[in-house]
Amino acid sequence: MNLKNSVIGIELGSTRIKAVLLDDNHIPVASGSYEWENRLTEDGIWTYAMDEVHKGVRACYADLAAAVKAEFSTELTTVGAIGVSAMMHGYLPFDKDGNQLAEFRTWRNTITGEAAQKLSDLFGFNIPQRWSIAHLYQAILNGEDHVEDIAFLTTLAGYIHWQLTGEKVMGVGEASGMFPIDSAALDYNQTMIDKFDSLIGFDWKLRDILPKVLPAGVCGGTLTESGANFLDPTGVLKAGIPVAPCEGDAGTGMAATNSVRVGTGNVSAGTSDFAMLVADHELGVHREIDMVTTPAGLPVAMVHCNNCTSDINAWVGLFAQFAEAIGAVQDKGALYTMLFNKALEGDADCGGLLSYNYFSGEGVTDLDEGRPVFARYPNCSFTLANFMRTHLLSALATLKIGLDILTKEENVRVDKLYGHGGYFKTPIVGQNLLSAAVGAAVSVMETAGEGGPYGMALLCAYMLWKDEGESLEDYLDNKVFRDAKSSTLVADKNDIDGFNRFLERYVGAFEVEKTAVKVM
């Protein structure tokens, strides 16, 4: 294999760091991974320790390098390009000497309500709590001492990119989760920058500390000697490799599902879930809807939910413990498949069972904290099939609440909707239930399981191999997905009506979740 004709995409997801190597036919030929988990500090902050970030990225890369050596009998010394993606948003401030000034505050935190509301009012633009600018302004409102010393504010992807290249830059899609973007200028919205600067009284201005914005296709720097050592302390990987602008998991999800053209959309469902619809007209301001961009800078309406599969994972773990206790140890993957398929046997409306999957707060439903809750009516049909279906529908319920705003109130058209992420790994099940939720056809590509790192690798490929003047939309359509295999299905009327009945009960009993937060 000619490594110069390959690209690497790395993504730091919520529960796993994964790397994918693509050949020049855009086919994944090797991968590596590392499992990790966020933690809640005594101060109530969801975070990842930075030493764990370093350890995880290196372990993931080492796993990829070992896979390349095993498959191709060659050392992973170089590639055509590398790109890094991560969970969007959050807060990572540094001083002029590169010292980290505060613990990494992830997207999962809902501690910036005051700042988010004040900035939304100031800008006339919805600023979600997880956005970097909300975290920054909340730190200012809190009077946190470190704020005056900030010289660079970035995201997790921006941090890794900085370590690899020395460049304080990021892709426009990732930047759109830090601060509102002007899609025409492919840069931060200058009017809003000026309004923010008028609020603060520090020596720095906002543009002084934010990363530079780059669209897809532009080189984001080259791998330095220290960057190569950061990824591969063994010294096998060589410096000088072009590095694509880092992107967020939203942008890589769009690329991985060919959902970057107006009228397309995708749903990513894993630890969190979000729907991205590329819009063709200006939308009103809704607290439940984020406006971000594609990696090429087109405006995207985004419904983001902090909670999706964590509660499902917890219950599957419990079933695994039960299986072990009775001497029938189950392969975890096979157990997931069995339980997901069981959900299809359940009543369309889950037979009177309810679940709220909130491990953390949820902006769409205006909760700053969450408590996982399972409840049922006394006369319910309490079966394993209904139990699993309840948790799978609960994972989509909050997303559906936000999507209804886009499709019913804002008339955002959806020509194609793609699903990707762990929720869709079991064939048909997640795809059918999402179709029931949105009342539309849902497609899943063969590459859907690759997710973010695959999308990041495609952005690397676009940077290297695009024709002059070729748009990202055309590159993906004509060179990547032209012959891609996918499956499309539409839920039947019974499943659609059943989901709507479930959602009606879910919304009607939401006081249960609010009360759990208050009393637990």
Side-chain angles (χ1 to χ4, degrees):
M1 179 179 182
N2 185 347
L3 291 173
K4 283 285 190 180
N5 292 333
S6 66
V7 292
I8 293 175
I10 302 172
E11 182 160 286
L12 291 85
S14 302
T15 58
R16 189 167 60 147
I17 304 172
K18 187 174 179 183
V20 172
L21 180 74
L22 300 190
D23 64 17
D24 52 5
N25 291 314
H26 308 99
I27 304 299
V29 293
S31 65
S33 66
Y34 174 81
E35 292 189 1
W36 67 341
E37 188 56 78
N38 56 191
R39 61 183 177 87
L40 187 63
T41 69
E42 293 180 358
D43 297 328
I45 302 294
W46 289 102
T47 189
Y48 296 85
M50 295 311 290
D51 58 351
E52 180 71 3
V53 172
H54 294 193
K55 174 186 175 183
V57 170
R58 288 169 179 162
C60 174
Y61 178 83
D63 196 35
L64 173 67
V68 170
K69 189 168 185 179
E71 179 69 22
F72 302 105
S73 300
T74 186
E75 298 280 4
L76 190 52
T77 57
T78 189
V79 289
I82 294 176
V84 177
S85 173
M87 302 163 279
M88 288 176 70
H89 320 297
Y91 184 71
L92 264 174
F94 297 88
D95 67 15
K96 61 182 177 58
D97 298 318
N99 299 308
Q100 187 177 345
L101 295 174
E103 202 162 32
F104 174 39
R105 301 168 188 179
T106 77
W107 57 271
R108 197 166 202 171
N109 289 285
T110 48
I111 55 175
T112 64
E114 180 186 5
Q117 184 60 58
K118 287 184 175 180
L119 291 177
S120 296
D121 293 342
L122 178 69
F123 296 156
F125 184 100
N126 181 44
I127 301 295
Q129 288 203 47
R130 65 188 178 282
W131 280 27
S132 304
I133 191 62
H135 279 282
L136 173 61
Y137 191 44
Q138 191 65 56
I140 293 172
L141 293 175
N142 292 346
E144 297 184 38
D145 293 337
H146 74 268
V147 173
E148 62 182 337
D149 296 323
I150 296 177
F152 181 42
L153 177 65
T154 191
T155 62
L156 185 56
Y159 171 76
I160 300 296
H161 187 95
W162 178 33
Q163 299 307 299
L164 298 184
T165 66
E167 302 289 344
K168 297 176 179 178
V169 303
M170 64 175 47
V172 62
E174 174 76 344
S176 71
M178 293 194 75
F179 193 87
I181 292 292
D182 178 346
S183 287
L186 294 177
D187 200 356
Y188 302 115
N189 185 298
Q190 186 58 49
T191 300
M192 297 182 192
I193 288 271
D194 293 340
K195 286 183 177 181
F196 184 83
D197 283 340
S198 70
L199 289 178
I200 60 177
F202 300 106
D203 291 338
W204 51 262
K205 298 294 184 183
L206 190 55
R207 275 197 182 273
D208 296 339
I209 66 171
L210 290 178
K212 182 181 177 181
V213 180
L214 297 176
V218 174
C219 186
T222 58
L223 188 68
T224 63
E225 292 285 352
S226 61
N229 185 65
F230 178 88
L231 266 186
D232 180 19
T234 68
V236 172
L237 182 66
K238 304 305 179 186
I241 299 169
V243 181
C246 63
E247 263 299 345
D249 49 3
T252 58
M254 283 185 270
T257 56
N258 195 20
S259 305
V260 297
R261 193 180 292 279
V262 169
T264 62
N266 79 92
V267 171
S268 172
T271 303
S272 64
D273 59 347
F274 49 84
M276 317 282 296
L277 304 181
V278 186
D280 62 354
H281 62 275
E282 188 171 334
L283 307 185
V285 178
H286 299 274
R287 177 186 55 77
E288 303 90 344
I289 307 298
D290 306 359
M291 291 305 300
V292 291
T293 78
T294 70
L298 292 176
V300 175
M302 177 182 189
V303 180
H304 185 282
C305 306
N306 289 344
N307 302 278
C308 185
T309 60
S310 292
D311 203 26
I312 297 170
N313 297 340
W315 283 108
V316 173
L318 186 68
F319 287 129
Q321 291 177 40
F322 172 75
E324 183 178 0
I326 63 171
V329 176
Q330 299 291 305
D331 173 77
K332 204 68 170 287
L335 187 58
Y336 270 98
T337 298
M338 184 273 288
L339 291 170
F340 267 58
N341 281 319
K342 197 70 179 175
L344 292 184
E345 301 173 15
D347 297 324
D349 65 353
C350 302
L353 280 60
L354 271 178
S355 167
Y356 298 96
N357 66 334
Y358 288 10
F359 268 60
S360 64
E362 196 62 81
V364 173
T365 48
D366 202 24
L367 278 182
D368 289 339
E369 296 180 60
R371 302 290 186 272
V373 171
F374 171 72
R376 58 192 176 103
Y377 292 88
N379 61 344
C380 70
S381 176
F382 192 30
T383 66
L384 178 60
N386 280 338
F387 182 84
M388 286 308 302
R389 191 179 184 94
T390 296
H391 289 291
L392 292 180
L393 294 196
S394 174
L396 299 176
T398 308
L399 188 74
K400 166 68 169 174
I401 292 169
L403 278 173
D404 280 350
I405 295 171
L406 291 178
T407 57
K408 296 179 180 179
E409 297 182 31
E410 291 289 352
N411 299 313
V412 174
R413 83 173 201 261
V414 184
D415 300 330
K416 296 180 181 179
L417 189 65
Y418 295 97
H420 64 107
Y423 188 86
F424 302 101
K425 278 189 175 181
T426 300
I428 299 177
V429 181
Q431 187 179 2
N432 185 73
L433 296 180
L434 176 61
S435 178
V438 300
V442 173
S443 298
V444 174
M445 295 183 179
E446 280 190 347
T447 51
E450 301 292 348
Y454 174 67
M456 189 64 241
L458 291 180
L459 294 174
C460 292
Y462 174 65
M463 179 185 75
L464 282 185
W465 301 323
K466 69 182 183 300
D467 295 330
E468 186 174 353
E470 186 175 25
S471 69
L472 177 62
E473 300 95 299
D474 288 344
Y475 183 87
L476 294 178
D477 272 347
N478 300 328
K479 294 182 177 174
V480 179
F481 295 108
R482 183 179 58 191
D483 301 316
K485 294 180 180 179
S486 65
S487 64
T488 302
L489 61 78
V490 181
D492 63 29
K493 185 176 185 300
N494 182 56
D495 282 339
I496 295 171
D497 291 345
F499 187 96
N500 289 333
R501 290 195 301 273
F502 172 82
L503 188 66
E504 185 178 356
R505 283 201 301 268
Y506 180 96
V507 173
F510 199 74
E511 197 65 31
V512 170
E513 173 63 22
K514 291 181 177 178
T515 302
V517 172
K518 291 177 184 176
V519 302
M520 291 176 65

